[in-house]
Amino acid sequence: MMTAYATVETAVEAMKIGALDYLLKPFEIDPLVSKILQIYHDLEAAQQPPMEVGALVLCGGTDYFDPAIGINTYGYGRFPKVVTRLGFERILSGTGPNQGRLVRPLDGKPIKKVAWFQCIGSRNLQLEADFCSSICCMHAIKEALVAKEKSDGELDATIFYMDMRTFGKSFQRYRDQAETEYGVRFKRGIIHSLIQDESSGDLIATHVDVTGAEKEDIFDMVVLSVGQRPATGAAALAENLEIPCNSWDFGETQPFSSTVTGKEGILLGGSFSGLKDINESVIHASAAALSASRVIHKSGGGLAPEVSTVSQPAEAVGESPRVMVSVCTCGNELSKLFDQDQLVQSLEADPAVDQVFFFEQTCTATGWENLVEHAEKQRPNRVLIGACLPYVYARKIRELGQRLELDPALIDVVDIKPIAYNSIRNAETTSEEERTATNKELSAILKMGLAKVKWADPAPVPKVKVRQQALVVGGGIAGMTAALAIADHGFQVNMVEQEEALGGNLNWLKLTLEGNTTNTILEETLQKVEKHPLIQIHVASRVLSSYGYVGHFNTTIENKEEGAITLNHGVTILATGGTEASTSSYSFGSSEAIITQKDLDLNLDNNTIEPQRLETVVMIQCVDSRQEPRNYCSRICCASAIKNALHLKEENPDIAVYILYRDMMTYGFTESYYTQARKAGVIFIQYDPAEKPEVSAINGSVQVAIFEPIIGSKIELDADLVVLATGVVPNLPQDLATAFGATLDQDGFFEEAESKWRPVDSLKEGVFACGLAHSPRNINESIATAEAASQRALRILTHEQLPAGKVVAEVRHSLCSLCERCIDTCPYGARLFDLDLDKVLVNAAMCQGCGSCATTCPNSASILAGFPDQQMFDVIDSALEGTA
């Protein structure tokens, strides 16, 4: 039975193709790119043999709204200077139509003043798009900053918005920095219309601000922040697979899951189930992989494909290099631009080169098979391939290594796309002198690859023994989810919770905005955890200390019943949760009528507060949040306010509910509940941070004063109840994080190794985080991070011995002076000083091959395996030869 890995890999490749295709739509496609796209589409359309899989993960990606459809208020397609945000990405790109120069289409004038229009195709009831695309606000800010950087700060950038949805944990500071340090202007208002001045070609935008005043602005270019749409064919695919879609044709998942559908074995990843940025897509892809692995493991399948090792023939290691060089001629287009005989002569001057071959389109099945057949006849002990897009050859290199009985380390692909791209595009105007230069440049690139491959070392990588057990710190819904996910794969888990009982915030939170009760998932999860034979629960316990490295941690915990005990484990997942932030703002504590959103939830549940007895309720958002020192959005506050406001209106339709807000953070599909609340009569009043609401409690009554921007004056509200949204703070102590080698950001949340591509990993290998310890999240999102962290942990636990990477640091002990500079320099904590051996040692599993130790070592005692001095000098000489 095949695993889900093949399905995911296929889906990822399809997403890359689709994204490349779309990004090129606004401009003329260059011949080489057109050729590549055609090859990809031909391969996609080719008849594929049926595959038997244990699980199916749908990662179909996303499409984007076409602003030319319908009324086309902003003249997209009619006004050349109106582009989508994807079109503007192409303008910014160095491979774009103007090599990254900021000039307007058609007239070529420098771009001096740009406006971004938000919510194009999103948050629009007329288009039946009552959702927020989640990514547009941050994308606009990023583009504005990049454009300003390219113009040395001279560009005038303005972003028009309804709500600036900076709901990621670092997004608000990014937005503030854009405004205060780089001068990006943020204007709250709706663009009424856009016309083009016939004489100058400038764009005139008419807009209405929050006061209702009509204004005009002139711009060189307008960028439309188009919203996401379901991928083409997503609804048809869902129908064929008999899985439901929501009202907007995105895949629908089960309650409290972002990946599991109503049909077992079919999972959703990325934007197929909704609207996500890169970070969220990666998290949900990992969660989907975990769910797929669970299905396969449950049915008796393996967790990973079996990888057969290649036993190297003696001559591949001991004999002098015999390199077969293969150059793709890209359908004979590239071969017209250089002299093949000269190139062969130049390459074969190196005695390591056995023979040079030229093939057409090695990225196609036919071209690749021709290359493999020649390689099998020649039987080289090294292979160098010159082609476009080297990343698509990773799997092919492994297959070629199997057929030639060569380690993949002895096969390399160098990227000749830049030469081919520029040369083919300018083929008609290229002089003979330029063709000679192209030949020389191509030769230099191939010689650099030749230098690398002929000095390549196929020595086996070191391995670290793995203790196949996990430690989960925290027993809330995220911690329990992570523990179950690992234990369900057959590995022992120790779960440490400082409270007397498991459950975390679900012990008081009873209902979600979508109307799902939390009691069900809490009870089901508790029963599974408590009855699971592989989960050992330690309640009322705390971590005293921990030391070790990936595969072998030793953690000491303490509780009253067991005292101090030491747990051995291979991975650690931090799921310590979070809690509602305390506050002293808005007269909190001076009256029983001034409470927090958590208090309101509790009091509504136990009937301490009766909606029928209330006349006026005022909710104030962003209390002490989105400002220093707690300058982040807690993500859940707006949804909680709307949930409770709708409940109050449902129980008492005559009640007056006011929500005072800065920006409503109802991202994704929660936007529809914002619409529902307005229809139900909930009154939303926007306030500026410079003029916050004022709350006073006098003689048992509470008054709220706020400036109402639409009427342009201050109003006073007599409230029976004032509800404060104070946000979330993490429960991850600094000493606990330090014990496991993790770091915290300035707000106390877990700091990722890389926010987009390694979002749940610590910089220290083997340590992960999830839930509110990771970042502010709702229940579904916390569960997704727990599943993602578990999937990353299982990547380690499934091995009895963990192989290190190919690029690992080593120490030449005869040259080492024991200055220990390399230990302080290593960002991954992979180096240590062994007192018994009196040597500096490297933990191969933790080393990431960054080379920092090699650069700081004064004696050249620290080196990187796989990068010998001879290889590096040879590569440099080849590069310099190309510039001579």
Side-chain angles (χ1 to χ4, degrees):
M1 179 182 292
M2 295 181 64
T3 68
Y5 288 87
T7 307
V8 174
E9 187 172 11
T10 303
V12 169
E13 291 184 16
M15 288 169 65
K16 290 176 180 176
I17 298 165
L20 180 61
D21 193 6
Y22 193 92
L23 288 175
L24 292 167
K25 279 184 181 178
F27 304 99
E28 180 182 353
I29 298 177
D30 292 297
L32 176 63
V33 180
S34 178
K35 177 79 68 178
I36 294 170
L37 286 175
Q38 186 59 51
I39 293 168
Y40 273 137
H41 290 315
D42 289 346
L43 289 173
E44 191 178 29
Q47 182 69 34
Q48 297 292 330
M51 293 188 295
E52 182 184 351
V53 296
L56 181 62
V57 181
L58 304 181
C59 301
T62 183
D63 279 349
Y64 294 89
F65 174 71
D66 183 353
I69 294 176
I71 301 175
N72 193 8
T73 306
Y74 306 121
Y76 178 72
R78 292 188 290 110
F79 303 154
K81 300 168 188 65
V82 176
V83 299
T84 65
R85 59 189 176 89
L86 297 178
F88 195 70
E89 286 285 338
R90 291 293 297 152
I91 292 175
L92 292 173
S93 174
T95 61
N98 296 299
Q99 290 77 52
R101 293 182 296 115
L102 290 178
V103 296
R104 303 195 305 190
L106 297 185
D107 62 17
K109 292 182 179 180
I111 299 173
K112 296 293 185 181
K113 194 173 181 182
V114 183
W116 279 260
F117 294 176
Q118 300 306 101
C119 300
I120 307 301
S122 299
R123 305 184 67 189
N124 191 320
L125 295 178
Q126 292 181 334
L127 295 172
E128 297 182 352
D130 192 16
F131 56 78
C132 166
S133 289
S134 302
I135 64 174
C136 309
C137 289
M138 295 308 300
H139 198 276
I141 297 172
K142 182 213 71 171
E143 285 192 333
L145 290 177
V146 172
K148 272 188 164 290
E149 182 181 359
K150 282 183 172 288
S151 66
D152 296 324
E154 297 298 320
L155 183 83
D156 186 315
T158 304
I159 298 176
F160 291 91
Y161 69 99
M162 292 191 289
D163 294 286
M164 187 51 54
R165 292 186 166 165
T166 52
F167 54 86
K169 66 178 178 180
S170 63
F171 291 178
Q172 183 64 35
R173 286 192 176 92
Y174 189 74
R175 178 244 186 265
D176 292 346
Q177 185 182 36
E179 183 174 30
T180 58
E181 296 184 25
Y182 297 97
V184 176
R185 293 190 296 158
F186 292 83
K187 287 190 175 183
R188 190 187 294 270
I190 299 175
I191 305 300
H192 173 270
S193 60
L194 186 71
I195 61 174
Q196 179 175 277
D197 185 285
E198 296 299 330
S199 58
S200 65
D202 292 334
L203 299 168
I204 304 171
T206 303
H207 59 97
V208 180
D209 65 15
V210 291
T211 68
E214 185 176 295
K215 297 183 179 181
E216 281 189 356
D217 273 305
I218 299 175
F219 300 99
D220 296 326
M221 176 171 282
V222 166
V223 182
L224 304 180
S225 292
V226 292
Q228 296 188 61
R229 287 291 187 273
T232 302
L237 178 59
E239 184 179 358
N240 288 337
L241 295 173
E242 298 179 347
I243 60 173
C245 289
N246 63 17
S247 56
W248 300 287
D249 284 339
F250 287 94
E252 192 166 67
T253 57
Q254 295 292 293
F256 300 111
S257 176
S258 302
T259 61
V260 177
T261 67
K263 197 167 184 179
E264 187 175 11
I266 300 182
L267 299 314
L268 306 184
S271 297
F272 201 93
S273 62
L275 309 127
K276 301 176 182 67
D277 62 7
I278 295 173
N279 170 284
E280 295 296 328
S281 293
V282 172
I283 287 174
H284 286 77
S286 294
L290 183 280
S291 298
S293 175
R294 219 171 191 163
V295 171
I296 293 168
H297 182 77
K298 182 180 178 181
S299 62
L303 294 180
E306 294 184 6
V307 180
S308 57
T309 57
V310 177
S311 59
Q312 296 294 334
E315 61 269 20
V317 178
E319 198 177 72
S320 298
R322 291 181 292 103
V323 185
M324 170 184 151
V325 180
S326 165
V327 181
C328 178
T329 60
C330 206
N332 283 328
E333 291 293 332
L334 185 58
S335 61
K336 300 174 184 176
L337 304 173
F338 64 89
D339 189 315
Q340 290 192 7
D341 293 336
Q342 281 187 6
L343 183 62
V344 171
Q345 185 178 357
S346 174
L347 293 173
E348 289 187 344
D350 189 323
V353 176
D354 186 44
Q355 199 162 355
V356 181
F357 295 97
F358 297 91
F359 298 97
E360 289 188 31
Q361 299 176 343
T362 56
C363 52
T364 65
T366 302
W368 180 254
E369 193 57 36
N370 288 338
L371 185 154
V372 172
E373 289 179 1
H374 276 75
E376 289 180 325
K377 291 178 182 178
Q378 296 296 316
R379 305 304 299 181
N381 56 23
R382 308 283 195 282
V383 177
L384 176 67
I385 302 168
C388 304
L389 306 175
Y391 64 83
V392 304
Y393 289 86
R395 184 174 59 189
K396 293 181 178 181
I397 285 176
R398 293 194 297 269
E399 294 172 353
L400 180 60
Q402 292 289 334
R403 293 177 67 167
L404 297 181
E405 295 183 328
L406 285 180
D407 192 299
L410 302 176
I411 306 172
D412 196 20
V413 181
V414 295
D415 188 4
I416 63 173
K417 177 183 176 180
I419 300 174
Y421 186 84
N422 293 324
S423 300
I424 293 176
R425 182 168 57 184
N426 303 317
E428 296 181 0
T429 59
T430 303
S431 65
E432 192 61 37
E433 183 178 344
E434 289 171 327
R435 293 171 189 268
T436 302
T438 298
N439 201 93
K440 187 174 183 180
E441 186 179 357
L442 180 60
S443 175
I445 288 178
L446 290 171
K447 284 185 175 181
M448 289 169 64
L450 179 60
K452 181 181 176 182
V453 77
K454 74 180 181 182
W455 291 104
D457 182 7
V461 298
K463 295 183 179 181
V464 175
K465 188 176 181 179
V466 175
R467 179 74 173 178
Q468 292 178 295
Q469 294 187 11
L471 174 69
V472 176
V473 184
I477 188 60
M480 291 191 293
T481 299
L484 276 173
I486 294 173
D488 283 348
H489 284 84
F491 300 102
Q492 182 75 41
V493 180
N494 280 285
M495 184 162 57
V496 179
E497 168 56 46
Q498 67 176 356
E499 301 296 333
E500 296 286 345
L502 303 178
N505 289 310
L506 292 196
N507 287 319
W508 63 267
L509 183 61
K510 303 302 181 184
L511 194 69
T512 69
L513 175 61
E514 296 80 11
N516 298 317
T517 58
T518 63
N519 283 338
T520 303
I521 185 174
L522 177 59
E523 291 173 4
E524 289 179 356
T525 307
L526 278 173
Q527 288 182 9
K528 290 179 181 177
V529 168
E530 292 171 349
K531 294 180 179 180
H532 205 296
L534 294 178
I535 297 179
Q536 182 70 38
I537 303 171
H538 308 271
V539 294
S541 302
R542 63 190 184 99
V543 174
L544 295 179
S545 64
S546 183
Y547 68 92
Y549 47 85
V550 59
H552 199 277
F553 291 98
N554 297 283
T555 299
T556 301
I557 67 170
E558 182 184 47
N559 59 42
K560 292 181 180 180
E561 293 184 3
E562 300 171 297
I565 60 173
T566 299
L567 305 174
N568 299 317
H569 52 102
V571 297
T572 304
I573 296 180
L574 302 176
T576 52
T579 188
E580 184 183 62
S582 60
T583 185
S584 59
S585 299
Y586 299 112
S587 301
F588 181 75
S590 64
S591 170
E592 292 182 355
I594 304 174
I595 62 176
T596 66
Q597 284 288 349
K598 179 180 178 180
D599 294 333
L600 180 59
D601 268 298
L602 289 170
N603 291 334
L604 287 173
D605 182 58
N606 62 27
N607 296 319
T608 304
I609 291 179
E610 299 180 32
Q612 293 80 4
R613 294 178 177 271
L614 300 174
E615 293 183 3
T616 303
V617 175
V618 178
M619 299 181 179
I620 303 177
Q621 303 303 104
C622 297
V623 176
D624 302 332
S625 295
R626 299 178 65 205
Q627 63 184 39
E628 297 300 343
R630 212 154 37 84
N631 197 10
Y632 59 87
C633 169
S634 292
R635 294 174 76 115
I636 62 172
C637 306
C638 289
S640 296
I642 289 176
K643 176 195 71 174
N644 288 328
L646 286 171
H647 177 72
L648 291 172
K649 293 293 285 186
E650 183 180 352
E651 294 294 315
N652 180 6
D654 295 329
I655 193 173
V657 181
Y658 298 85
I659 297 181
L660 315 184
Y661 72 100
R662 287 175 56 184
D663 298 279
M664 288 304 297
M665 299 293 185
T666 48
Y667 56 92
F669 300 131
T670 57
E671 174 70 17
S672 61
Y673 295 95
Y674 182 23
T675 302
Q676 185 179 335
R678 297 198 302 274
K679 289 180 179 179
V682 178
I683 300 172
F684 292 83
I685 302 176
Q686 186 267 329
Y687 73 88
D688 190 278
E691 197 169 3
K692 295 179 180 178
E694 299 171 1
V695 179
S696 57
I698 304 173
N699 298 326
S701 65
V702 180
Q703 281 192 338
V704 180
I706 183 172
F707 179 82
E708 216 294 336
I710 295 178
I711 64 175
S713 64
K714 184 172 287 190
I715 63 173
E716 291 186 351
L717 303 170
D718 292 319
D720 300 314
L721 204 61
V722 172
V723 187
L724 307 181
T726 61
V728 172
V729 290
N731 292 333
L732 183 53
Q734 178 68 64
D735 58 347
L736 178 64
T738 302
F740 291 104
T743 55
L744 305 181
D745 66 16
Q746 66 188 94
D747 297 309
F749 291 102
F750 174 83
E751 188 165 38
E752 314 92 323
E754 211 290 323
S755 61
K756 285 184 170 56
W757 307 113
R758 295 178 64 192
V760 296
D761 296 43
S762 169
L763 202 59
K764 182 172 182 177
E765 183 72 358
V767 178
F768 312 93
C770 59
L772 293 180
H774 177 279
S775 54
R777 295 187 172 267
N778 62 31
I779 299 173
N780 287 21
E781 293 165 343
S782 293
I783 290 173
T785 60
E787 292 172 337
S790 303
Q791 185 268 340
R792 296 291 292 165
L794 285 167
R795 175 182 57 91
I796 296 169
L797 293 177
T798 52
H799 296 86
E800 292 183 2
Q801 289 187 317
L802 186 67
K806 276 286 186 181
V807 182
V808 177
E810 296 177 348
V811 180
R812 295 169 172 168
H813 296 293
S814 61
L815 299 178
C816 181
S817 63
L818 303 180
C819 68
E820 299 186 24
R821 292 182 186 179
C822 59
I823 296 177
D824 296 331
T825 301
C826 180
Y828 303 100
R831 304 175 76 88
L832 57 95
F833 181 73
D834 190 301
L835 293 173
D836 295 330
L837 298 176
D838 198 31
K839 291 181 178 180
V840 173
L841 303 180
V842 178
N843 184 300
M846 295 178 68
C847 177
Q848 302 294 308
C850 68
S852 296
C853 56
T855 61
T856 198
C857 181
N859 299 338
S860 296
S862 288
I863 60 172
L864 283 183
F867 288 91
D869 293 343
Q870 303 98 315
Q871 183 189 62
M872 292 296 96
F873 287 130
D874 206 346
V875 169
I876 292 170
D877 288 342
S878 299
L880 293 175
E881 181 181 330
T883 61

